[in-house]
Amino acid sequence: MSDSTTSPDASFAARLAETAGRIETALAALLDDRQRDHEIARPGRLLAAMRHGALGGGKRLRPFLLIETARLFGVAQEAALPAAMAIELIHCYSLVHDDLPSMDNDDLRRGQPTVHKAFDEATAILAGDGLLTLAFEVLADSEAEASIRADLVLCLARASGLAGMVGGQMLDLDAEGRHAAGTHRHPPSAGDVRRLQAMKTGALLTAAVEMGAILGGASFGQRMSLSTFGQALGACFQVADDVLDVEASPDVMGKATAKDADANKATLVAALGLEAARAERDRLAMDAVGALRRFGPEADTLRAAARFAATRTN
Ligand code: GRG
């Protein structure tokens, strides 16, 4: 069958949407206003801001990758759900903080006012902090075996922090020339951009597949292959974002576009030009698929995810 309703990429989109619905429901339950036994209170304004940052949109690609990787090893979606929620909570926190006036100063995210616009800046900072810490609470409180939980916490913490996403964000600000005393030379080379993007965006996407591999008890070799897949997919996803900033409309993206050049952002489009950035995006998607060669058809959804990272429109 070759009609569009049954093509691998159409069934990928349906599967991604289905998992997104499942994640939305699970996060909504986690962030409901019912005070838990161990809690003194759930401050209403903070909870509302956390819900605004975490619910009502987003592709939920990181939890999807985690769940699909765990599925390779026979792990049921239900068992992967706490880790999937945890990685999405980290991602949502990073978006809330990334949008702040002192960072990217964005008014629109996922087609809605950003958290500091809907609430205020201090509340948005606290909402990000709340989502970040809740991620680790969810992981630590899950029913996975203790050594698996510890591995998951380690993997997520490393990917999110100093030498991962937060570090990459720092290098990004540095490359924009924000700090007079910044150590970055200008303009950043393509290598500089690739490194900061591997940290800012790639580390968390790689952690998604690594956490799925941890849950599944993958062998060292399997985990290495999946990690290589995640790194290529993460880089592909970010170059695609750089290209979309030039090519896509704000309506489709649900956020402002055409901002990178004005903001002096370190992107591969700036470092290499649009054509070469597109070529790198497509090559990275092929590299990601190539990294899965040891797996059979059970990894076809991950292969489709790599193609999605390159061809996505938002
Ligand atoms: C502020 C600590 C801190 C980190 C910020 C994630 C991040 C680091 C910055 C975001 C900048 C950005 C727009 C990068 C492009 C890649 C990216 C992460 C896009 C947003 O992720 P999607 O497309 O978003 O998965 P949805 O809304 O679908 O969840």
Side-chain angles (χ1 to χ4, degrees), residues 44-46 48-50 52-53 114-121 123-124:
R45 184 174 174 81
L46 177 60
M50 288 167 70
H52 189 94
T114 46
V115 177
H116 65 274
K117 281 280 162 190
F119 294 83
D120 60 83
E121 193 174 341
T123 305

Side-chain angles (χ1 to χ4, degrees), residues 57-62 88 90-100 103-104 106 109-110 160 165-170 172 199-202 204-205 234 237-239 241-242 244 253 255 260 265 308 312 314:
K59 294 178 285 299
R60 313 299 193 188
L61 182 61
R62 294 152 192 81
E88 184 65 12
I90 294 284
H91 171 60
C92 293
Y93 123 70
S94 79
L95 298 181
V96 173
H97 281 190
D98 189 60
D99 290 334
L100 286 169
M103 299 261 187
D104 266 8
D106 274 308
R109 166 74 64 184
R110 296 170 167 172
S160 307
M165 183 182 72
V166 174
Q169 180 77 351
M170 187 75 250
D172 201 17
M199 293 169 69
K200 183 181 82 159
T201 316
L204 203 59
L205 284 158
F237 186 88
Q238 177 62 62
V239 193
D241 209 75
D242 295 352
L244 284 169
M253 291 292 278
K255 64 177 185 179
D260 290 349
K265 278 270 179 204
F308 168 81
R312 69 199 178 93
N314 72 350

Side-chain angles (χ1 to χ4, degrees), residues 30 66 79-90 132-146 148-157 160 211 214-215:
L30 185 71
L66 189 154
L81 210 50
M85 283 197 285
I87 200 161
E88 184 65 12
L89 287 166
I90 294 284
L132 159 62
T133 41
L134 185 57
F136 287 102
E137 179 181 339
V138 168
L139 263 191
D141 200 30
S142 72
E143 289 182 359
E145 198 226 306
I148 291 185
R149 267 184 286 151
D151 279 357
L152 291 170
V153 167
L154 181 64
C155 182
L156 189 59
S160 307
M211 289 169 78
I214 291 169
L215 277 168

Side-chain angles (χ1 to χ4, degrees), residues 4-307:
S4 64
T5 55
T6 54
S7 72
D9 292 332
S11 73
F12 171 81
R15 209 161 171 153
L16 179 60
E18 188 191 324
T19 304
R22 186 74 190 86
I23 295 299
E24 179 80 18
T25 305
L27 289 177
L30 185 71
L31 293 167
D32 68 22
D33 57 11
R34 185 176 51 86
Q35 187 185 317
R36 310 305 198 252
D37 287 346
H38 59 273
E39 294 174 342
I40 300 170
R42 296 198 143 198
R45 184 174 174 81
L46 177 60
L47 183 63
M50 288 167 70
R51 289 174 63 88
H52 189 94
L55 303 180
K59 294 178 285 299
R60 313 299 193 188
L61 182 61
R62 294 152 192 81
F64 179 81
L65 288 169
L66 189 154
I67 286 168
E68 289 300 327
T69 306
R71 192 194 303 282
L72 282 183
F73 303 96
V75 177
Q77 188 186 87
E78 208 55 34
L81 210 50
M85 283 197 285
I87 200 161
E88 184 65 12
L89 287 166
I90 294 284
H91 171 60
C92 293
Y93 123 70
S94 79
L95 298 181
V96 173
H97 281 190
D98 189 60
D99 290 334
L100 286 169
S102 54
M103 299 261 187
D104 266 8
N105 194 21
D106 274 308
D107 294 351
L108 201 62
R109 166 74 64 184
R110 296 170 167 172
Q112 298 292 324
T114 46
V115 177
H116 65 274
K117 281 280 162 190
F119 294 83
D120 60 83
E121 193 174 341
T123 305
I125 292 171
L126 293 176
D129 294 343
L131 294 169
L132 159 62
T133 41
L134 185 57
F136 287 102
E137 179 181 339
V138 168
L139 263 191
D141 200 30
S142 72
E143 289 182 359
E145 198 226 306
S147 69
I148 291 185
R149 267 184 286 151
D151 279 357
L152 291 170
V153 167
L154 181 64
C155 182
L156 189 59
R158 282 185 173 156
S160 307
L162 172 66
M165 183 182 72
V166 174
Q169 180 77 351
M170 187 75 250
L171 294 180
D172 201 17
L173 297 182
D174 213 14
E176 275 178 45
R178 295 239 199 157
H179 311 108
T183 50
H184 214 290
R185 64 197 152 77
H186 277 276
S189 68
D192 294 331
V193 176
R194 289 189 191 104
R195 188 178 66 138
L196 80 82
Q197 293 187 341
M199 293 169 69
K200 183 181 82 159
T201 316
L204 203 59
L205 284 158
T206 305
V209 290
E210 289 195 333
M211 289 169 78
I214 291 169
L215 277 168
S219 68
F220 180 79
Q222 287 168 327
R223 186 162 165 185
M224 285 302 105
S225 299
L226 287 164
S227 180
T228 305
F229 164 78
Q231 287 164 31
L233 179 140
C236 173
F237 186 88
Q238 177 62 62
V239 193
D241 209 75
D242 295 352
V243 171
L244 284 169
D245 181 74
V246 179
E247 291 183 335
S249 77
D251 283 352
V252 177
M253 291 292 278
K255 64 177 185 179
T257 55
K259 280 193 72 186
D260 290 349
D262 288 348
N264 201 26
K265 278 270 179 204
T267 70
L268 276 188
V269 172
L272 297 174
L274 188 56
E275 267 317 302
R278 280 200 200 106
E280 180 146 335
R281 173 196 66 191
D282 297 343
R283 183 179 54 71
L284 284 162
M286 285 195 295
D287 290 350
V289 172
L292 297 176
R293 66 183 70 83
R294 69 188 302 147
F295 297 99
E298 71 278 10
D300 279 353
T301 305
L302 293 183
R303 294 183 182 96
R307 287 191 291 275

